[in-house]
Amino acid sequence: VDPWAIVVRHGRWYLLCLAHEAGAARAYRVDRIAAVDVLNAEFEPPADLNPVVWLESHLGTGWPFETHVVFDAPADVVGPWIGRPMGRLEAVDDGHCVLRGTTGNPSMYAGEWLAAIPHPFRVVGGPELRDAVAAVGRRLLDAAVATDATDAT
């Protein structure tokens, strides 16, 4: 690899690099690197590399479950609620935007990330994410069901 930078995120150290065998940029957790052979080679990291932004964007891709969400609000209104690991937010028109990415944990994506966004949305891609959003919705609806006074303890 050509090492570009080390970034610490949530207590984990990541090596950002160009992986020659993969022919692509990669992020490797430093604690999972088993061996290092130092080579006498020169390289240049990308001139526009922002290591933190690159890592956060990278961590939002390549997971097994698709996320495709349409918001009924403009991108500039939804944008502050979207972290880079959630995927890429793009404007559709003045009143709508779309979020596309991937996740390894649809339940967390639905219950922690999407549920916190105070704007209407629809999951149009990713059956696992759609199921997870439905489960969160059922749980919240169940919590709102009126009960008799004996339940209040």
Side-chain angles (χ1 to χ4, degrees):
V1 302
D2 293 345
W4 295 339
I6 298 283
V7 176
V8 179
R9 183 175 184 273
H10 300 295
R12 293 197 167 103
W13 292 53
Y14 293 88
L15 170 67
L16 310 187
C17 61
L18 173 64
H20 292 281
E21 284 187 22
R26 293 285 190 259
Y28 295 117
R29 281 201 15 208
V30 172
D31 63 315
R32 294 182 177 169
I33 297 173
V36 175
D37 293 325
V38 179
L39 304 176
N40 189 16
E42 293 186 20
F43 61 90
E44 291 281 330
D48 60 347
L49 178 66
N50 180 327
V52 174
V53 170
W54 189 91
L55 178 64
E56 288 181 348
S57 296
H58 179 76
L59 293 176
T61 61
W63 299 99
F65 304 110
E66 175 190 5
T67 61
H68 183 175
V69 181
V70 174
F71 290 92
D72 296 327
D76 63 333
V77 172
V78 175
W81 296 93
I82 306 299
R84 285 184 197 92
M86 293 176 72
R88 181 181 199 94
L89 184 68
E90 298 176 355
V92 173
D93 56 37
D94 289 344
H96 300 86
C97 58
V98 63
L99 175 64
R100 288 189 176 104
T102 60
T103 185
N105 188 340
S107 295
M108 179 279 305
Y109 197 102
E112 293 180 26
W113 290 351
L114 289 178
I117 300 173
H119 304 290
F121 65 86
R122 298 178 304 287
V123 177
V124 297
E128 298 85 2
L129 181 60
R130 190 176 302 113
D131 291 347
V133 168
V136 169
R138 283 190 297 275
R139 182 175 60 85
L140 293 175
L141 284 172
D142 289 348
V145 173
T147 61
D148 63 39
T150 59
D151 289 343
T153 54

